[in-house]
Amino acid sequence: MGEMDAANQVYDALILGAGFGGMYMLYELRSRGFSVVGLEAGADTGGAWYWNRYPGARCDVESLAYCYSFSPIIDEEWRWTERYAGQKEIRSYLQWVCDRLDIRKDIRFNSRLAKAHYDEDVHLWNFETENGDSYQARWFVTSPGPLATPIWPNIPGREKFKGQLFHTAKWPDEEPDFSGKRVGVIGTGSSGVQLIPIVAEEAEHLTVFLRTPNYTTQARNRPLTDEDYATWEQIRDQRRKEFRKLIRGAAGDLFIEDKYAERRLRPSTEFTREERQEQFNVYWQHGGAMVSSIHIDVLTNPAMNEELCEYFRDKIREVVNDPAKAEMLCPRGYPIGTRRIVVGSDFYETFNRDDVDLIDVKQTPIERFTEKGVIVGDKELEFDIIISASGFDAVTGSLTVMDIRGRGGQTLRDVWADGPHTYLGLGVSGFPNMLMIGGPGSPSLQTNVAMYNEVAVEWISDALTYARDNGYAEMEAEISAQEEWTEIVNNLLEESLFSKADSWYVGTNVPGKKRAILTYLGGLPAYIEACGNAAANDYAGFIMTKEGALETMCA
Ligand code: N01
């Protein structure tokens, strides 16, 4: 390990990541009297919203739900301008919170964690950043963001391309100029879909490389009005309580007529086809991702799911003038909702432009990069700029990218090589005092992640306070509890239509990654209950060891 932290201090807790989860974690533990330090790879706070600054980046959860709910100061002083906040506004929000709650002084920016090793002799974690700085702490709380390790398409020869090459999740500080340029975009997930209409407006010509079409809805973004805010302030506390009782941790139908919001919580079989179509129409017009959870059985009832899939395909056929392009864009072969629903603005409309081409790479794969562009079929397509919107090594990749070692020097990478095993998505057997926000086996990205993060932060804060108050120095997931939870997580996959689709949710987007569900599909309320039960029973499922007992063990 390199030079020790300047203060040569052993912290109570080191928190990895200064996005939504990490900042609140730091604030909460500090408020409870723990000494804390945060490490953040970026030059500022923001997490995903710091790195993903491609044109059009915008949240697909409504701003009023996708924010902190723990602080009256924030509620009183911050006001969102749009129904779905853009990346710049969310980043400003997080920077403002960081300053307003005086969190910044405890975060080391430009500090990418390289190693975290548990020292069994002294029961402390030792950390080293890529800059060579060292830290030591009793507790290691990880909040790196579940989508933090970008991946490139597995197309050979990338280094040969002489034009400009960008990844949406590593966007340059200086905004690229697309005017007069021939641009290629690889990928039509959330990032690609948001970026494509904007690039199409500016570029001379755009070619979109499509592999698996996604079910894409219109955001129908709009400014938030004084009237919206007046209503929101009246219902805010009540709605936030309700969010924690909803499977996805947010309603997504703020300001929608009660009749339709209530129908959403009932199975589709209670309604006639006409009523279901009316429900689809209402949510389609309202916009946003909730169109996929229009009834509670969308992910368990194949007939209902297919009816909704066909509704989407008809909408695509209505918008896209060229029938061949429309069919290319129609998702098929997997149930709606089992890959992330994509929320965009005018994505399908973009394919009515004469200066936008669409290439289905399943029909004609991109063989390789060249100096001038790419080889597709028997042609070389030339580009000035290629943008890779190819996604992430999700959830586990955010942690396995680092050298994390627990008992006996075992690495997290090796322990998870056959798929992740965790207890409640919070702890891992063999890695004492490491607790995860957004870990595999938690509902994180299956929910309004801002709301889920608060649940995780509050549980971890309570656990650390309990440990301190009761003289416990070590807390580690029991192997039996971990295997039981992992079985629950895996069974939920098998019971749902999720098992029928390939996506980053099951790791199939990363060559060589073991197919395994990375998130808990049981919904936020069931997850809160499971975590609450463990806490109420003296952190059942965790081995809690007192300081004295540890010393005896070491003697
Ligand atoms: O990544 P993705 P993303 N040739 O993995 C394609 C969150 N997010 O950055 O599907 C051709 O979804 C790949 O094709 P396929 C959100 O949770 C949220 O867009 O593997 N194509 C796919 O089309 C989201 O789900 C927001 O067949 C290749 C695309 O690249 C998650 O981040 C905004 C290829 C990758 O899509 C990830 O989204 C942005 C190849 N060789 C992100 N390799 C909002 O809040 C890959 N692809 C709105």
Side-chain angles (χ1 to χ4, degrees):
M1 295 270 166
E3 280 301 295
M4 197 61 177
D5 179 35
N8 207 17
Q9 182 177 353
V10 178
Y11 291 95
D12 290 328
L14 180 138
I15 294 144
L16 170 65
F20 266 98
M23 285 213 305
Y24 179 29
M25 189 77 247
L26 196 148
Y27 175 77
E28 186 59 26
L29 284 182
R30 196 180 66 187
S31 310
R32 296 185 189 208
F34 290 87
S35 62
V36 282
V37 64
L39 294 189
E40 167 54 52
D44 207 329
T45 180
W49 301 103
Y50 173 86
W51 299 102
N52 290 270
R53 43 180 179 248
Y54 57 86
R58 187 173 289 286
C59 190
D60 57 5
V61 179
E62 295 185 50
S63 318
L64 296 174
Y66 189 81
C67 56
Y68 289 118
S69 70
F70 72 88
S71 162
I73 297 174
I74 300 175
D75 280 338
E76 257 166 49
E77 297 181 17
W78 182 268
R79 182 167 168 160
W80 295 103
T81 64
E82 292 179 278
R83 179 179 173 196
Y84 294 99
Q87 175 268 338
K88 284 194 175 64
E89 189 173 13
I90 302 175
R91 196 174 150 188
S92 304
Y93 169 76
L94 290 169
Q95 287 171 328
W96 174 80
V97 169
C98 194
D99 291 324
R100 185 67 184 82
L101 301 186
D102 198 21
I103 297 170
R104 193 174 290 276
K105 66 174 193 265
D106 292 317
I107 302 174
R108 308 289 174 265
F109 292 101
N110 296 306
S111 296
R112 187 177 287 279
L113 185 63
K115 295 180 189 170
H117 293 178
Y118 189 64
D119 184 336
E120 287 181 75
D121 292 338
V122 287
H123 317 289
L124 294 173
W125 280 92
N126 289 314
F127 305 93
E128 189 176 313
T129 66
E130 284 184 0
N131 310 328
D133 297 330
S134 301
Y135 299 87
Q136 212 172 33
R138 167 134 292 171
W139 299 95
F140 176 28
V141 184
T142 66
S143 186
L147 296 162
T149 304
I151 52 166
W152 290 90
N154 56 344
I155 301 168
R158 199 171 77 230
E159 67 293 344
K160 294 200 176 112
F161 180 57
K162 294 267 193 271
Q164 290 179 289
L165 184 64
F166 302 115
H167 193 295
T168 44
K170 289 184 165 179
W171 205 251
D173 281 337
E174 197 178 327
E175 199 53 55
D177 179 8
F178 299 113
S179 53
K181 304 274 171 55
R182 299 158 302 171
V183 182
V185 175
I186 302 172
T188 54
S190 301
S191 307
V193 162
Q194 291 185 331
L195 170 101
I196 284 163
I198 294 173
V199 176
E201 282 288 323
E202 291 176 26
E204 182 186 299
H205 190 272
L206 171 66
T207 304
V208 175
F209 295 98
L210 165 83
R211 192 163 64 180
T212 310
N214 285 302
Y215 293 96
T216 301
T217 72
Q218 286 275 27
R220 305 202 196 282
N221 191 28
R222 62 171 177 79
L224 285 173
T225 61
D226 288 345
E227 207 186 346
D228 292 331
Y229 253 89
T231 310
W232 173 240
E233 273 160 19
Q234 278 177 14
I235 61 173
R236 185 177 60 210
D237 294 347
Q238 180 60 24
R239 291 314 292 266
R240 282 181 175 160
K241 279 189 206 140
E242 286 165 13
F243 287 167
R244 289 193 183 213
K245 294 184 186 144
L246 293 171
I247 286 180
R248 293 196 183 262
D253 43 15
L254 294 171
F255 313 126
I256 211 163
E257 229 183 288
D258 284 351
K259 170 178 152 186
Y260 299 108
E262 280 155 16
R263 281 186 184 185
R264 205 163 68 73
L265 305 175
R266 291 163 58 195
S268 60
T269 42
E270 290 183 9
F271 302 93
T272 63
R273 185 177 164 81
E274 287 65 39
E275 285 168 332
R276 289 197 297 272
Q277 292 285 319
E278 181 193 341
Q279 177 83 345
F280 297 170
N281 284 333
V282 166
Y283 275 87
W284 182 267
Q285 282 314 322
H286 186 65
M290 285 297 151
V291 75
S292 69
S293 46
I294 227 149
H295 290 295
I296 53 162
D297 54 346
V298 173
L299 286 171
T300 49
N301 178 343
M304 151 67 194
N305 191 291
E306 179 51 28
E307 192 177 307
L308 186 55
C309 293
E310 198 48 30
Y311 178 89
F312 264 73
R313 291 183 205 116
D314 283 343
K315 288 288 172 202
I316 297 167
R317 292 174 188 126
E318 264 172 36
V319 175
V320 181
N321 299 333
D322 175 346
K325 277 188 185 169
E327 289 312 310
M328 240 193 259
L329 288 161
C330 280
R332 286 190 185 79
Y334 67 91
I336 189 168
T338 55
R339 291 163 53 92
R340 178 88 171 192
I341 292 288
V342 172
V343 181
S345 294
D346 300 332
F347 172 68
Y348 293 123
E349 286 78 354
T350 302
F351 297 95
N352 291 333
R353 298 176 66 114
D354 294 336
D355 53 2
V356 175
D357 286 340
L358 179 63
I359 295 181
D360 178 349
V361 301
K362 275 193 174 147
Q363 296 298 323
T364 43
I366 307 174
E367 278 171 29
R368 62 189 159 87
F369 284 89
T370 63
E371 283 192 13
K372 293 182 180 164
V374 289
I375 303 284
V376 180
D378 54 3
K379 279 195 210 135
E380 181 173 33
L381 302 183
E382 295 186 9
F383 294 106
D384 303 300
I385 299 176
I386 297 179
I387 302 170
S388 180
S390 46
F392 303 86
D393 180 354
V395 188
T396 47
S398 308
L399 292 169
T400 54
V401 72
M402 289 166 250
D403 177 14
I404 298 179
R405 291 174 193 245
R407 282 194 197 287
Q410 61 185 329
T411 67
L412 195 59
R413 207 176 289 147
D414 286 345
V415 167
W416 284 353
D418 268 342
H421 291 229
T422 72
Y423 177 44
L424 297 171
L426 288 160
V428 184
S429 172
F431 294 79
N433 291 3
M434 182 181 94
L435 291 161
M436 300 174 292
I437 301 171
S442 77
S444 64
L445 287 164
Q446 285 298 328
T447 63
N448 166 14
V449 73
M451 178 57 76
Y452 152 78
N453 280 340
E454 293 200 341
V455 168
V457 165
E458 286 154 19
W459 192 93
I460 292 171
S461 302
D462 288 346
L464 268 57
T465 307
Y466 173 88
R468 181 182 62 189
D469 293 351
N470 290 281
Y472 292 115
E474 213 175 63
M475 173 176 184
E476 179 181 350
E478 270 175 17
I479 189 83
S480 56
Q482 173 172 290
E483 292 321 300
E484 217 173 287
W485 182 252
T486 304
E487 202 181 326
I488 291 171
V489 171
N490 292 340
N491 287 345
L492 282 165
L493 171 69
E494 296 314 320
E495 286 159 16
S496 88
L497 296 176
F498 263 86
S499 58
K500 309 231 176 294
D502 285 343
S503 72
W504 60 256
Y505 284 125
V506 288
T508 49
N509 64 328
V510 180
K513 188 166 175 174
K514 170 91 178 169
R515 190 180 215 279
I517 184 70
L518 298 173
T519 56
Y520 169 77
L521 301 172
L524 194 62
Y527 180 74
I528 291 175
E529 192 184 339
C531 293
N533 286 341
N537 289 291
D538 295 326
Y539 292 87
F542 285 93
I543 304 162
M544 309 290 284
T545 313
K546 299 231 178 203
E547 187 90 56
L550 287 175
E551 281 156 19
T552 315
M553 276 153 57
C554 289

